[in-house]
Amino acid sequence: MCNYSEYERQASRLYEAIVGPKKFKTVQFSADNLWDAAWSLRKNKKITDFIFDEIVGVTYILEHEEVELSKEKIEEKRRKLASLILDIENGNAAGDVEKTALGPLLETLSMRSKEAVVDSEYFSELKKYMHVERPIQAELELQIQKLLEKTKGIVFLVGNVGDGKSHLLAYMKEKYANEFNDRQIELINDATESDSPNHTAIETLINKLEMYNDHNIQRGQKRLIIAINLGVITNLLYKLEQNDNFNELVNYLKKSGISNGEVQPYTHPVFSNVSFFNQEMFEVNDNKVESQFFLAMFDKVFSMKEENPFYQAYLQDKKNHHTQAFHANYKLLLDSNIKNSIIYLLIRAQIEYKEIISARTLMNFIYDILISNKEKINYDSYLPFLVFDNSETSALLKTISLMDPTNNQNREVDKLSVKLFHSNDVFNFIKETFRDDYKRFEPMFDKFRNKEDNLKYFKLLVNTMFRVKFLINAQNSVLNNPEFQDFIEILQDVNNTGSSLDLFKLINESVNLWNGRISKERYVVTMRAKNSTAIAVELELEPISWEVKNFSVVVTVENQNATAKNEIQQIEIDYKTYALLRKVVKGYILKREDIQMVVKFEEFVNSITRSTKGERTNILYNPNLNKEYELKKVYDKIILRELGE
């Protein structure tokens, strides 16, 4: 037997964890019995080959007394053994997802799953369960009712890839099976497929539309519902214009706005459309941003309801002691606070980074934050890491990694970090910090036990603590982005009162500073100048109307000092523009990449200043001399004087 007594005691605890307390009392611990117990687990797919090999390594040390190990080496072996015991005790050693009930069900959410490919001819039981009613469903049903009453017509269902067009068509086909059959309504589910090797997808679609060319549009009976992506519509429009036999349809595609994603209220007796582009994905209530669609989708997976197959599979695995890291992650997301924190991050990704999150992208995201693609279960197999430190898995997770709360620096964060660093018992400090919440995250924190003296692992432990703190309550956390919260409050103001004085003051100040700062108030530099003399004109803007549109605020302003009277212009302020303007009014010097990022605001400033009259008084600024001059017309004389004299 190995003479490292503490290591041997740990190995005995590992054996007990594998065989259970009852058998441990009757079958004596030995290296051979440990090997046999581990092999039994491996044979029954309850541990991975990787874990089995680690246990074999333990038995080798126990059996070879002659093996000489340094004190440092034996300490390293003990730490690994302690981690291995925790894996076995917490049920995190069975790496085969397929052997669980929950794992295969979660895999249906992945884009790699065959369930991700939607067929309008078949609506599976799981898809029926996952169906979430959205406003667009009511719109489509209304157009279907109108189509049933027509002798001829087309309903275009328009959106981006993964929006849920195919899913919605499959749902409608099942719901209106008799009506579609009686009225011979044809569904074209995927306008990107060809029906012949000699035809492109667009040519196939045009063949389907022949009954709607200018010659046939008033003849015959044919009813179509076409699910189509925006890119395909653009190509279709180009081909139809070349054909010159579809002027009526071309005119509709242009005037309705579906060819560019900006749908207009334009009606036609034969053609109609329902667009995903018109759907608002979030709401602002009580200065908090919410998404009913995201919440409904998450509740389909993470709710303790009897009809929820995911929850039932989780309970089944729990009963059979088939628990892995993704079970712990699943359990965390049953908590409404953590669930809402994840949804909040998704909404921020949309508003801050203009991320397009389709239904398919959302389901794949749920899969990615539950199941790690790494073979060994470690600290990075758990929810906080899969959400914030998993950027290589998908474009969406790369965006969310930019919102990692560990990137936030403020006094509270620094204070907490210092306290943790100087704590005599790091894990006790974390336990006291999270109180009742600690137990839920304990398996993850335990992955750092006996490693906290290593600077690398200490930093990871600190990051883990901040990420957990954020997930427990994101919107009220000191780790939240206060600038984003201010922007949400502006959206709320515009929705509630029809304006935002704070935002207009920010726009006005930013226009005044955009091309350079001069001393005289209400004067704006017309062009950005490095070495040449710049001209500043007097500017007076007045807001006329406000609108929240596509995660932005659209402000219509009147330039009251314009050359042409009543000149009206619009400026769209999205989050990135808002954040940059806040920096500008605090003295930030614009860089070229900043201007490229907010090109619409740059164009707005240039347009406003070009159209502003400077008939009587202008300001000249020479950056080389760092002097300002007033150029003033008094009667028929031009007077130039240095300001500040």
Side-chain angles (χ1 to χ4, degrees), residues 22 69 109 159 238 365 380 436 492 503 545 552 638 641:
K22 189 176 180 181
L69 295 175
L109 303 175
Y238 175 74
F365 169 79
D380 53 4
D436 294 341
Q492 178 89 70
L503 181 58
S545 66
S552 305
I638 303 295
R641 72 179 183 88

Side-chain angles (χ1 to χ4, degrees), residues 127-141:
K127 285 188 173 66
K128 286 179 190 176
Y129 170 75
M130 290 297 293
H131 178 74
V132 170
E133 192 166 320
R134 293 190 266 178
I136 195 170
Q137 179 178 324
E139 292 177 34
L140 181 58
E141 291 199 64

Side-chain angles (χ1 to χ4, degrees), residues 116-365:
V117 182
V118 182
D119 181 2
S120 66
E121 300 298 317
Y122 175 64
F123 204 56
S124 68
E125 287 301 315
L126 183 60
K127 285 188 173 66
K128 286 179 190 176
Y129 170 75
M130 290 297 293
H131 178 74
V132 170
E133 192 166 320
R134 293 190 266 178
I136 195 170
Q137 179 178 324
E139 292 177 34
L140 181 58
E141 291 199 64
L142 178 62
Q143 293 303 327
I144 286 173
Q145 293 298 337
K146 291 180 179 179
L147 184 63
L148 290 170
E149 295 170 3
K150 295 178 181 179
T151 56
K152 194 168 193 176
I154 300 179
V155 177
F156 291 97
L157 179 60
V158 187
N160 282 317
V161 175
D163 275 340
K165 299 182 297 297
S166 299
H167 172 88
L168 197 51
L169 273 195
Y171 176 83
M172 292 300 175
K173 181 167 185 183
E174 177 157 297
K175 183 174 181 178
Y176 292 99
N178 294 332
E179 291 89 339
F180 284 3
N181 186 55
D182 292 343
R183 300 292 285 167
Q184 297 181 320
I185 291 179
E186 182 181 354
L187 304 183
I188 300 178
N189 177 46
D190 190 350
T192 60
E193 291 187 356
S194 170
D195 60 3
S196 165
N198 300 319
H199 292 125
T200 65
I202 293 294
E203 288 170 342
T204 296
L205 182 56
I206 291 174
N207 286 339
K208 297 271 188 183
L209 295 172
E210 280 298 332
M211 283 294 291
Y212 298 90
N213 65 29
D214 297 338
H215 180 70
N216 294 326
I217 195 166
Q218 301 299 334
R219 301 179 179 182
Q221 295 185 17
K222 191 172 182 66
R223 302 169 193 84
L224 296 176
I225 302 176
I226 302 175
I228 189 166
N229 295 333
L230 183 59
V232 177
I233 290 181
T234 304
N235 294 333
L236 174 65
L237 185 59
Y238 175 74
K239 287 290 186 181
L240 291 177
E241 286 178 320
Q242 287 184 321
N243 189 298
D244 202 35
N245 290 322
F246 291 90
N247 294 308
E248 190 82 9
L249 178 54
V250 166
N251 187 54
Y252 173 77
L253 292 175
K254 288 182 175 179
K255 287 189 174 181
S256 65
I258 64 172
S259 59
N260 59 15
E262 297 182 4
V263 180
Q264 305 297 323
Y266 176 72
T267 59
H268 189 279
V270 177
F271 309 121
S272 64
N273 74 82
V274 177
S275 174
F276 277 87
F277 298 113
N278 284 351
Q279 305 301 303
E280 289 289 350
M281 294 292 282
F282 73 94
E283 309 83 38
V284 181
N285 297 304
D286 298 326
N287 290 331
K288 289 190 175 183
V289 63
E290 300 168 341
S291 170
Q292 293 305 315
F293 173 63
F294 287 171
L295 183 59
M297 287 293 288
F298 267 73
D299 279 347
K300 287 289 181 180
V301 181
F302 307 107
S303 63
M304 293 182 281
K305 296 177 181 176
E306 191 173 339
E307 66 270 22
N308 180 0
F310 296 92
Y311 182 62
Q312 294 306 318
Y314 166 75
L315 292 179
Q316 183 182 332
D317 284 343
K318 188 177 177 183
K319 182 180 177 181
N320 293 331
H321 306 289
H322 289 161
T323 54
Q324 299 182 33
F326 68 83
H327 290 91
N329 295 335
Y330 181 86
K331 184 179 180 182
L332 287 173
L333 278 161
L334 290 172
D335 182 299
S336 60
N337 287 330
I338 295 175
K339 184 163 50 181
N340 287 332
S341 293
I342 299 293
I343 292 171
Y344 173 68
L345 287 169
L346 292 171
I347 296 171
R348 277 184 60 185
Q350 288 183 304
I351 296 175
E352 288 190 38
Y353 299 94
K354 300 293 182 71
E355 192 75 36
I356 296 172
I357 303 176
S358 66
R360 191 184 303 171
T361 302
L362 181 62
M363 288 191 287
N364 188 71
F365 169 79

Side-chain angles (χ1 to χ4, degrees), residues 319-559:
K319 182 180 177 181
N320 293 331
H321 306 289
H322 289 161
T323 54
Q324 299 182 33
F326 68 83
H327 290 91
N329 295 335
Y330 181 86
K331 184 179 180 182
L332 287 173
L333 278 161
L334 290 172
D335 182 299
S336 60
N337 287 330
I338 295 175
K339 184 163 50 181
N340 287 332
S341 293
I342 299 293
I343 292 171
Y344 173 68
L345 287 169
L346 292 171
I347 296 171
R348 277 184 60 185
Q350 288 183 304
I351 296 175
E352 288 190 38
Y353 299 94
K354 300 293 182 71
E355 192 75 36
I356 296 172
I357 303 176
S358 66
R360 191 184 303 171
T361 302
L362 181 62
M363 288 191 287
N364 188 71
F365 169 79
I366 291 172
Y367 170 80
D368 285 338
I369 64 172
L370 287 173
I371 298 183
S372 170
N373 57 15
K374 296 180 174 65
E375 183 177 7
K376 179 169 168 46
I377 295 170
N378 209 331
Y379 57 83
D380 53 4
S381 303
Y382 291 92
L383 186 68
F385 284 86
L386 294 178
V387 171
F388 294 113
D389 201 4
N390 198 15
S391 60
E392 295 179 359
T393 300
S394 73
L396 178 55
L397 280 166
K398 185 174 183 178
T399 296
I400 287 179
S401 71
L402 301 175
M403 296 180 277
D404 189 342
T406 63
N407 297 331
N408 285 2
Q409 292 299 317
N410 57 51
R411 188 173 294 177
E412 288 295 322
V413 170
D414 292 342
K415 194 172 166 184
L416 201 58
S417 299
V418 170
K419 279 186 177 179
L420 184 62
F421 183 78
H422 291 290
S423 172
N424 293 325
D425 187 336
V426 170
F427 289 95
N428 190 55
F429 177 84
I430 294 172
K431 191 173 183 179
E432 288 179 356
T433 300
F434 290 111
R435 298 179 182 274
D436 294 341
D437 287 314
Y438 178 76
K439 196 70 180 172
R440 296 185 294 163
F441 296 94
E442 188 173 11
M444 177 185 60
F445 282 120
D446 277 341
K447 295 294 180 184
F448 296 99
R449 201 171 286 279
N450 301 319
K451 299 176 183 176
E452 63 269 26
D453 292 336
N454 182 307
L455 185 58
K456 171 192 168 184
Y457 287 107
F458 179 78
K459 287 180 179 178
L460 284 170
L461 185 59
V462 172
N463 288 349
T464 303
M465 187 177 74
F466 287 143
R467 287 164 178 166
V468 169
K469 196 172 182 65
F470 180 87
L471 289 175
I472 288 171
N473 195 347
Q475 295 201 50
N476 293 326
S477 173
V478 294
L479 296 159
N480 192 13
N481 179 0
E483 203 165 68
F484 177 78
Q485 186 57 40
D486 291 343
F487 185 69
I488 294 303
E489 289 175 14
I490 284 171
L491 296 180
Q492 178 89 70
D493 282 346
V494 176
N495 277 334
N496 290 350
T497 68
S499 66
S500 170
L501 179 60
D502 288 342
L503 181 58
F504 182 69
K505 283 174 66 178
L506 180 66
I507 294 170
N508 211 27
E509 287 180 43
S510 299
V511 170
N512 291 343
L513 299 170
W514 196 253
N515 287 326
R517 184 187 297 267
I518 61 170
S519 61
K520 197 160 184 178
E521 289 185 7
R522 294 176 60 183
Y523 276 77
V524 179
V525 177
T526 57
M527 289 184 65
R528 196 175 289 104
K530 288 184 179 178
N531 300 312
S532 58
T533 300
I535 301 173
V537 294
E538 189 175 11
L539 181 66
E540 188 174 353
L541 300 179
E542 186 69 29
I544 295 174
S545 66
W546 302 74
E547 180 188 5
V548 175
K549 184 180 179 183
N550 297 329
F551 318 135
S552 305
V553 179
V554 179
V555 188
T556 304
V557 298
E558 180 182 352
N559 181 1

Side-chain angles (χ1 to χ4, degrees), residues 542-598:
E542 186 69 29
I544 295 174
S545 66
W546 302 74
E547 180 188 5
V548 175
K549 184 180 179 183
N550 297 329
F551 318 135
S552 305
V553 179
V554 179
V555 188
T556 304
V557 298
E558 180 182 352
N559 181 1
Q560 297 190 335
N561 201 25
T563 306
K565 287 186 178 180
N566 301 321
E567 182 178 274
I568 306 298
Q569 295 204 39
Q570 280 190 338
I571 178 61
E572 182 178 332
I573 306 295
D574 59 12
Y575 173 78
K576 279 194 178 297
T577 305
Y578 172 76
L580 182 60
L581 298 190
R582 286 195 23 162
K583 289 168 69 177
V584 167
V585 299
K586 291 176 182 176
Y588 177 76
I589 305 300
L590 287 165
K591 300 180 179 67
R592 181 181 296 176
E593 54 266 31
D594 296 322
I595 295 164
Q596 291 172 344
M597 183 179 71
V598 294

